[in-house]
Amino acid sequence: MMKKSKSISRAKYGYFFILPFFVTYFIFSLIPLLDTIRYSFFEYYRSGLRIVGPNFVGFDNYINVMGKDFFQYMGNTFILWIIGFIPQIVIALLLASWFVDVRLKIRCEQFFKVVIYLPNLIMASAFAMLFFTLFSTSGPVNNILQSIGIVSGPIDFMGTPLGTRLLIALMNFLMWFGNTTIMLMAAIMGISPDIFEAASIDGCTPRQSFFHITLPLIKPILTYSLITSLIGGLQMFDVPQILTNGQGNPNRTSYTLIMWLNNLLRAPDYGRAGALSVYLFIVSGILCLVVYKMINNDDEEKRIKKLQKAEKRKVK
Amino acid sequence: MKKRVVSLMLALSMVAGLTACGGDAANSSSDSAASAESSAYVAEGEEGKVINIYCWNDEFRTRVEAVYDKVDHTSDDGTITYLTDGTEIHWTVNPNQDGVYQSKLDEALLNQGSAADDDKVDMFLSETDYVVKYTDAAADVAIPLTDLGIDPATDLADQYDFTKTVASDANGVQRGSTWQACPCLFVYRRDIAQDAFGTDDPDEIHAKVADWATMKASGEELKAKGYYTLAGYADTFRAYGNSISKPWVEEGSTEINVDPQIINWINDSKEWLDAGLLDKNIKGQWTDDWNKSMGSESKVFGFLLPAWGIDFVLNPNWDGEAGAWAVTDGPQAFNWGGSFVHGCAGTDNPEHVKEIILAVTANKDNLMKITKDYLDFTNTQSGMKEIAEDETFSAEFLGGENPFKYFQPAAASISMTTLSPYDQGCVELIQSSFGDYFQGQVDYDTAKANFEKAIMERYPDITAVNWPE
């Protein structure tokens, strides 16, 4: 009797509660995912109103997609991501440490937090259209620059690879630095104030406490921001798509992998799009693994080295 | 035990999902087969309560409102037009650019078999760039006019022949109709003409732009006064592109043939741009810069536009006084655009479809009304002849000129036999790929390679691009 009552388990309710998630996940995520992989082995596209396929073609799509274009578009994607991400993380770190610094006594802190987050609320495509109009050769930015006499003729921002890429990076920076700031602030606030207090009593300068206390302690969140931003960067699509009319011009220098995927899907060519998606999946998997290992192993190695040193000292 | 139950359920749901997907594919293919086999284009029974029309702007809606006698009123947002017999027209509008309209329409047409009656597409529009795709007999999505009860030989006798040929499939069965023909003219600013040439008389200006070489020479005079001859290289594209000798893609082929005329356009555009006759800041049509080049601040002398271009594009962009523009014959007669109206296979409103097509595209009085209200060049040979000879007709926007005096003869010389279903992609992509070349961003061969890449992404069945020697 006693034994039986002890064995009552409420775990089954847990299973019931998580069931809806798994069911929806299977139907809306896993099955399409598997279908994508399945179709990547088929010749399956639509030409006008005529459907061709699905005919099994083995790895033909994979071979077709993996050309020098793939690496060019991947390079474009990374360049666009990096020139957007570097200012984003620097500014976010700076703002986050200012906002949480009690000694600075920043007024209207809440207001600024909201303001820097606001660009993220605008749809990326709407934002890109806004920039397209602002920076067009007869747009307001050129008008202002000309009227205050900085330039004599209009600047063709979107006529050069550098200009287009910088505009895309600027938009990505504006959209995401607020988000990163909030995230980093949460991380910094999670550090016990005792540590900062102790450091300042020991005569630690703000710069030192930032580099030697704040930065190492928010490493997990920094890793998280890096990985999410990396995946987001790999999926960069709407901003360059709208800004360059889907062609990544000039000379396809702002053509990202997902814009390519989008153009394939719109044809629609399910086979090649599937193969490209699988490649993207693999690439993002590898990148995340690399970043994760890089940052975590670092810690482990240091700890091991310290232990080894201590051991050596003992031996001596 | 419980774990096993849960995992079994998950596995089952997965299998169910997978088979459901497989089932879908099977269903849709059998549906399309069924619709292809059946000879009846329209659903049996009474007329439906909802007419769904697919289009890319409000041009057709305004035409229907103007001339279809059953129209009662349209909702404020323009999405639903109520007819006096209680039927509603639902307008589905998707932008034409980048093939968006076509892909949305294709989705709807592929679902036509399984859609509920009130959700079925009843009518759709197509542009000259891709009308062939929808009038194709094998695709069989546009109802032959005779099956709707329209006899092209008698009901559409007054239409321009080329519009009828364009709307017919390879067997000569007409599957669509249009209310417009679109000959292009040279539209120019009178004040700039006065300043540069000392006259704004259409005949004298025509002498200045009679052919490309003359136009280029006159362009130098305009340049000396600080004006551009045309806005951008895209503005001449249709003149060259619509006078190609062979279609971009021949029937049954999967290879793109770039016509020598296109190469001429590329060479001439580069030359004109480098000579400073075009505004290098204007990179294409339908952009903000292009729209502004039609404003009063602009230094652009003229545009090559069809009638709808004057009414639908130039007029809204012009911010100066009326009467500042004039028309004359350009360096080359060509056709640009044209919206075709089709009844959609599977419609449950065949009577309404027939009435609308007849009212908007076949009734001479209605067409003349459209011409007078919207300055559109409509598809009635006798009507256009009358209006061209009508001394009292004058367009206020053109300073009292009667543009049909120039449009009507231009329409007579149009023949359109070189269409292919791939035209829109070719036309859009060759312009964007060679835009980089004109701007000096890439060399000629890179531009060619970029066009090949882009076109093969857009059309997976294209296997090669052949360039002329």
Side-chain angles (χ1 to χ4, degrees):
Chain A
M1 201 64 193
M2 284 288 280
K3 229 182 180 179
K4 212 179 176 186
S5 69
K6 260 188 184 170
S7 74
I8 284 178
S9 159
R10 293 193 166 80
K12 64 178 173 191
Y13 299 111
Y15 286 123
F16 278 125
F17 281 120
I18 59 171
L19 191 60
F21 166 75
F22 280 99
V23 171
T24 39
Y25 173 76
F26 272 112
I27 296 173
F28 294 107
S29 286
L30 191 68
I31 292 167
L33 188 77
L34 294 176
D35 249 7
T36 307
I37 298 173
R38 185 161 67 98
Y39 280 130
S40 66
F41 296 103
F42 286 84
E43 177 193 45
Y44 187 28
Y45 62 82
R46 216 165 66 207
S47 162
L49 293 162
R50 188 171 51 95
I51 295 170
V52 177
N55 309 316
F56 186 75
V57 290
F59 283 92
D60 274 12
N61 288 322
Y62 287 90
I63 296 162
N64 185 298
V65 166
M66 182 57 81
K68 83 177 199 306
D69 289 348
F70 181 85
F71 294 101
Q72 191 202 332
Y73 303 153
M74 192 150 92
N76 291 341
T77 314
F78 276 105
I79 290 169
L80 289 176
W81 173 66
I82 286 169
I83 56 178
F85 182 71
I86 289 172
Q88 179 193 320
I89 200 80
V90 170
I91 301 283
L93 267 175
L94 198 65
L95 288 177
S97 54
W98 280 348
F99 278 140
V100 294
D101 198 327
V102 280
R103 280 171 303 180
L104 283 178
K105 290 193 189 100
I106 291 174
R107 276 195 227 170
C108 311
E109 193 187 314
Q110 285 301 333
F111 171 76
F112 289 118
K113 278 187 213 166
V114 171
V115 168
I116 59 170
Y117 196 80
L118 273 181
N120 204 313
L121 300 179
I122 309 173
M123 231 180 353
S125 47
F127 205 45
M129 280 184 86
L130 178 75
F131 263 61
F132 186 81
T133 318
L134 278 176
F135 287 88
S136 74
T137 42
S138 58
V141 171
N142 265 315
N143 285 348
I144 292 170
L145 288 180
Q146 276 171 284
S147 61
I148 56 177
I150 291 182
V151 291
S152 53
I155 304 175
D156 193 358
F157 289 104
M158 281 164 284
T160 60
L162 182 72
T164 316
R165 283 174 170 176
L166 283 180
L167 277 183
I168 293 167
L170 176 64
M171 267 183 273
N172 279 325
F173 159 70
L174 280 178
M175 282 181 66
W176 290 104
F177 84 101
N179 189 55
T180 316
T181 307
I182 305 272
M183 205 104 74
L184 294 179
M185 273 169 61
I188 297 173
M189 283 192 288
I191 303 172
S192 164
D194 303 354
I195 303 176
F196 289 110
E197 232 166 79
S200 69
I201 290 169
D202 286 349
C204 184
T205 63
R207 181 185 295 263
Q208 280 172 324
S209 75
F210 177 76
F211 282 106
H212 297 290
I213 299 171
T214 316
L215 266 192
L217 285 176
I218 59 168
K219 210 167 172 186
I221 297 289
L222 273 178
T223 316
Y224 170 81
S225 315
L226 184 67
I227 292 180
T228 48
S229 168
L230 189 65
I231 295 173
L234 206 60
Q235 295 178 344
M236 194 186 302
F237 162 62
D238 29 20
V239 169
Q241 169 85 17
I242 302 284
L243 196 74
T244 66
N245 231 337
Q247 293 303 314
N249 283 342
N251 195 18
R252 303 204 149 208
T253 46
S254 301
Y255 200 72
T256 67
L257 287 169
I258 301 288
M259 281 165 75
W260 188 19
L261 180 66
N262 179 55
N263 276 341
L264 289 176
L265 271 180
R266 216 175 28 183
D269 185 343
Y270 302 111
R272 280 197 289 167
L276 181 58
S277 308
V278 172
Y279 277 134
L280 274 168
F281 180 69
I282 294 169
V283 168
S284 51
I286 291 172
L287 286 175
C288 290
L289 212 68
V290 167
V291 173
Y292 187 76
K293 283 276 169 196
M294 215 167 65
I295 287 171
N296 272 349
N297 273 8
D298 213 28
D299 275 358
E300 289 289 289
E301 274 169 21
K302 270 184 190 167
R303 208 173 297 154
I304 291 167
K305 270 183 191 166
K306 265 183 193 168
L307 280 177
Q308 282 171 341
K309 268 185 190 171
E311 212 107 305
K312 272 182 190 170
R313 244 176 258 149
K314 263 185 195 169
V315 172
K316 275 176 186 172
Chain B
M1 175 65 196
K2 277 158 202 155
K3 268 184 199 163
R4 216 180 291 160
V5 170
V6 172
S7 58
L8 192 70
M9 276 169 70
L10 293 177
L12 271 177
S13 68
M14 205 172 113
V15 172
L18 280 174
T19 49
C21 282
D24 265 359
N27 273 339
S28 63
S29 63
S30 67
D31 276 348
S32 59
S35 71
E37 279 163 21
S38 74
S39 57
Y41 283 97
V42 295
E44 296 285 317
E46 282 184 18
E47 290 275 299
K49 286 287 158 220
V50 177
I51 305 170
N52 287 300
I53 303 184
Y54 273 63
C55 49
W56 56 84
N57 58 26
D58 63 354
E59 194 184 12
F60 183 57
R61 195 191 80 218
T62 55
R63 287 357 175 216
V64 169
E65 284 168 2
V67 299
Y68 185 38
D69 51 13
K70 277 192 187 158
V71 170
D72 187 56
H73 68 283
T74 299
S75 62
D76 290 334
D77 59 357
T79 53
I80 300 175
T81 297
Y82 299 90
L83 302 185
T84 46
D85 60 6
T87 314
E88 294 170 9
I89 300 181
H90 290 197
W91 301 95
T92 307
V93 182
N94 286 296
N96 216 346
Q97 273 79 7
D98 248 354
V100 176
Y101 171 71
Q102 284 186 67
S103 56
K104 296 279 182 194
L105 177 62
D106 291 353
E107 292 294 326
L109 291 176
L110 291 170
N111 291 329
Q112 183 83 336
S114 54
D117 277 355
D118 281 349
D119 297 330
K120 279 186 168 48
V121 184
D122 295 297
M123 290 179 92
F124 63 90
L125 271 73
S126 71
E127 246 196 334
T128 314
D129 279 348
Y130 47 84
V131 61
V132 184
K133 172 175 161 187
Y134 295 102
T135 52
D136 183 26
D140 207 31
V141 291
I143 309 176
L145 292 184
T146 45
D147 286 67
L148 280 170
I150 300 171
D151 181 6
T154 54
D155 294 329
L156 310 178
D158 199 23
Q159 291 196 344
Y160 282 89
D161 284 332
F162 80 91
T163 66
K164 292 203 267 188
T165 322
V166 168
S168 301
D169 62 23
N171 311 320
V173 178
Q174 195 174 343
R175 289 172 179 261
S177 180
T178 178
W179 71 91
Q180 58 186 175
C182 307
C184 287
L185 296 179
F186 184 60
V187 194
Y188 61 93
R189 284 257 300 272
R190 287 173 188 270
D191 55 333
I192 295 179
Q194 284 287 3
D195 187 27
F197 305 120
T199 172
D200 64 356
D201 180 72
D203 292 332
E204 287 183 48
I205 296 302
H206 172 65
K208 296 273 182 193
V209 297
D211 53 68
W212 294 114
T214 321
M215 195 166 183
K216 194 175 174 218
S218 315
E220 295 294 339
E221 289 179 53
L222 285 160
K223 188 182 152 195
K225 291 270 185 182
Y227 298 111
Y228 299 110
T229 314
L230 293 161
Y233 40 81
D235 284 305
T236 54
F237 183 80
R238 295 284 174 168
Y240 292 85
N242 287 358
S243 57
I244 52 180
S245 54
K246 277 195 304 184
W248 284 91
V249 179
E250 304 242 37
E251 181 91 34
S253 162
T254 57
E255 298 188 356
I256 290 206
N257 294 309
V258 181
D259 197 271
Q261 273 286 17
I262 302 295
I263 304 298
N264 289 343
W265 171 74
I266 293 168
N267 294 336
D268 288 353
S269 296
K270 182 77 178 158
E271 220 178 290
W272 283 49
L273 193 70
D274 289 346
L277 306 181
L278 306 173
D279 186 346
K280 69 175 176 15
N281 293 323
I282 295 164
K283 297 177 233 162
Q285 295 173 317
W286 315 111
T287 62
D288 192 39
D289 292 327
W290 190 60
N291 290 338
K292 279 187 183 145
S293 72
M294 298 179 180
S296 55
E297 297 284 302
S298 160
K299 294 282 175 204
V300 175
F301 176 47
F303 295 87
L304 292 158
L305 292 175
W308 58 260
I310 299 175
D311 171 58
F312 211 72
V313 186
L314 186 60
N315 197 349
N317 283 321
W318 175 246
D319 52 354
E321 284 173 24
W325 294 83
V327 296
T328 188
D329 288 316
Q332 193 175 343
F334 66 102
N335 185 73
W336 176 16
S339 310
F340 290 85
V341 190
H342 309 276
C344 186
T347 173
D348 58 331
N349 300 77
E351 273 307 311
H352 281 100
V353 171
K354 178 189 172 187
E355 281 177 19
I356 294 174
I357 291 181
L358 283 176
V360 179
T361 72
N363 183 314
K364 187 179 165 187
D365 294 337
N366 288 345
L367 290 172
M368 292 304 278
K369 181 174 157 57
I370 292 175
T371 292
K372 284 172 180 160
D373 289 357
Y374 302 105
L375 209 67
D376 215 345
F377 188 89
T378 50
N379 203 357
T380 156
Q381 294 193 51
S382 60
M384 290 303 103
K385 193 163 184 298
E386 277 170 33
I387 202 161
E389 288 162 1
D390 183 356
E391 294 295 327
T392 59
F393 182 81
S394 69
E396 193 197 350
F397 183 70
L398 301 171
E401 202 184 359
N402 178 0
F404 296 94
K405 219 165 68 188
Y406 299 91
F407 278 129
Q408 200 251 339
S413 61
I414 293 169
S415 77
M416 303 276 288
T417 50
T418 54
L419 298 176
S420 81
Y422 302 88
D423 288 2
Q424 192 188 15
C426 293
V427 162
E428 280 182 8
L429 295 173
I430 201 141
Q431 293 188 49
S432 71
S433 303
F434 278 90
D436 287 343
Y437 167 66
F438 299 145
Q439 306 283 339
Q441 291 292 331
V442 300
D443 59 22
Y444 187 73
D445 289 327
T446 314
K448 272 163 80 169
N450 283 343
F451 171 68
E452 290 177 15
K453 278 181 207 167
I455 201 77
M456 288 184 195
E457 270 165 29
R458 176 82 70 97
Y459 302 114
D461 51 338
I462 292 295
T463 51
V465 178
N466 304 318
W467 300 87
E469 288 304 311

